[in-house]
Amino acid sequence: QQQLVESGGGSVQAGGSLRLSCAASGGTFRLYSMAWFRQAPGKELEFVAAVGRNGGDTDYADSMKGRFSISRDNAKNTVFLQMNSLKPEDTAVYYCAATLGRIAVLPRAFNYWGQGTQVAVSS
């Protein structure tokens, strides 16, 4: 069973960058595919990016391609989300999620979730 703890959120001006981290514990990290989702106020949960078990496979929501980059360090049981060229519409709570097995993009595929970290982008 995975416990996930996100960090790295904060407030930034449009055009700025943030790097989110998600530290995992309680399970064999390398067996889990990982993903980031986000939820803005009054909106549904939205897929951001996913990475496969060995880091070789990645997938991104169209609106994040070219701006966001997901990566993982299996030696440190951590997944990262580098966010560049941030926009006010990127403001949301960002959640880390884990699923045992292959890369996935739908929330229902993920068994374990972190508590979220707030990202606020001002114009």
Side-chain angles (χ1 to χ4, degrees):
Q1 184 170 348
Q2 287 279 356
Q3 288 84 46
L4 305 173
V5 179
E6 302 96 335
S7 61
S11 298
V12 65
Q13 289 190 331
S17 298
L18 283 174
R19 189 192 196 204
L20 306 183
S21 299
C22 172
S25 62
T28 305
F29 183 67
R30 60 179 172 81
L31 297 181
Y32 291 81
S33 293
M34 305 296 294
W36 290 93
F37 293 83
R38 70 184 185 184
Q39 189 165 26
K43 295 189 176 181
E44 294 186 352
L45 192 66
E46 178 184 23
F47 169 73
V48 175
V51 61
R53 287 168 288 184
N54 64 6
D57 293 333
T58 58
D59 199 356
Y60 296 91
D62 287 343
S63 61
M64 286 67 160
K65 287 179 181 177
R67 299 191 301 125
F68 291 9
S69 177
I70 189 170
S71 61
R72 65 188 294 162
D73 185 339
N74 284 351
K76 296 183 178 179
N77 292 355
T78 303
V79 62
F80 305 98
L81 183 68
Q82 177 67 44
M83 304 187 295
N84 299 325
S85 302
L86 283 162
K87 305 175 182 180
E89 52 264 43
D90 294 318
T91 295
V93 177
Y94 284 72
Y95 297 93
C96 173
T99 183
L100 192 63
R102 296 192 303 177
I103 191 171
V105 301
L106 296 177
R108 64 174 180 263
F110 291 83
N111 309 102
Y112 306 104
W113 293 81
Q115 82 290 348
T117 186
Q118 177 72 54
V119 170
V121 184
S122 58
S123 57

